[in-house]
Amino acid sequence: MDETGFVKKGRAPAGVQRQYTGTAGHIENSQVGAFLACATSRERALIDRRLHLPEHSWCTDSERRQAAGTPGTVPFATKPRPAREMITAVPDAGVEAPWVTGDEAYGRDPQLRAGLEARGTGYAMAVACSTRVWIDQGRAPVRADTVAERLTATAWQRQSAGSGLPGRR
């Protein structure tokens, strides 16, 4: 899962506001969407997407929402919430996903991580070094950087991200 921004002109498209987007590399008038993709060793497919509605400039402005055709029932949600909703819908769509990856925008959401753990879905997500992670079968919360420092060199394994132009990445 990941989000991306779409640079937009004007104020009319749903969810548009001045915000940081990695697409432009700075604050720009843009929309932001969360995306869920499925990847195997042979195929990759986008399987779901959700548009992010900024809280103050959209969710509380009923005239703007109406003009853009955005239903009033669509609530404000932090970016991880649509990811949780999309991941929850994956089994209902007949897609098997034994693990999920995401950047810190998703890794810092304890509800998302807890939901994946409750489902038995593995995950690899970036977290801030100050994030507390549970060790010793969930008995002890410890900072992520402390856990990483305590691991021996043999505890780490290099994994390939797949084939690339010069070979394995």
Side-chain angles (χ1 to χ4, degrees):
M1 64 191 125
D2 202 3
E3 73 278 343
T4 193
F6 309 95
V7 176
K8 295 287 185 178
K9 300 289 183 195
R11 292 177 29 93
V16 166
Q17 77 169 13
R18 288 190 55 75
Q19 57 193 323
Y20 177 82
T21 172
T23 305
H26 57 271
I27 294 173
E28 186 68 57
N29 211 41
S30 61
Q31 291 174 311
V32 173
F35 296 87
L36 188 64
C38 185
T40 69
S41 61
R42 298 180 329 140
E43 304 169 312
R44 287 143 199 87
L46 178 65
I47 59 174
D48 206 348
R49 79 280 183 250
R50 305 283 165 92
L51 183 63
H52 172 68
L53 286 181
E55 184 173 18
H56 300 293
S57 63
W58 276 92
C59 292
T60 59
D61 189 338
S62 58
E63 288 180 28
R64 194 172 186 197
R65 288 172 72 119
Q66 187 175 12
T70 306
T73 56
V74 177
F76 165 73
T78 59
K79 292 173 188 168
R81 181 175 167 188
R84 288 194 307 265
E85 293 169 357
M86 290 186 288
I87 288 168
T88 299
V90 166
D92 296 337
V95 176
E96 291 185 32
W99 55 278
V100 174
T101 62
D103 63 16
E104 190 178 346
Y106 303 99
R108 72 174 163 232
D109 181 9
Q111 288 179 311
L112 177 57
R113 295 191 323 265
L116 290 168
E117 290 170 15
R119 296 168 62 119
T121 302
Y123 62 87
M125 289 190 243
V127 296
C129 64
S130 60
T131 300
R132 296 212 174 262
V133 295
W134 292 88
I135 62 170
D136 295 332
Q137 285 127 10
R139 293 190 306 253
V142 180
R143 283 176 54 117
D145 58 349
T146 301
V147 173
E149 289 168 2
R150 290 179 183 169
L151 294 172
T152 64
T154 58
W156 296 96
Q157 296 178 27
R158 184 174 294 266
Q159 298 292 320
S160 172
S163 298
L165 190 57
R168 301 297 293 174
R169 296 179 287 156

